[in-house]
Amino acid sequence: MTEPRTSPLPLLAPTVHEHGWLVESSHRTLDGTVLYVRCAACGTRRVDLAARPQTPPAALSREV
Ligand SMILES: [Zn+2]
């Protein structure tokens, strides 16, 4: 008699979490510094624009 294998858990979509953005690369433009960031936890990528170092960067792109 074969042992019933443990039923595979349904793969849940990654839960919404506070992304921990890592800057992969950046370059300066006339509008500010464009940051290419990636979440270390889920791999989501985004492009940010940091107009000034003091202000938090604004997302230029949708999270992908
Ligand atoms: Zn994430």
Side-chain angles (χ1 to χ4, degrees), residues 28-56:
R28 296 178 66 167
T29 69
L30 289 175
D31 295 327
T33 303
V34 176
L35 303 169
Y36 296 88
V37 295
R38 181 173 57 84
C39 175
C42 67
T44 298
R45 289 166 190 274
R46 206 177 69 179
V47 181
D48 285 356
L49 174 66
R52 290 193 207 142
Q54 288 83 13
T55 54

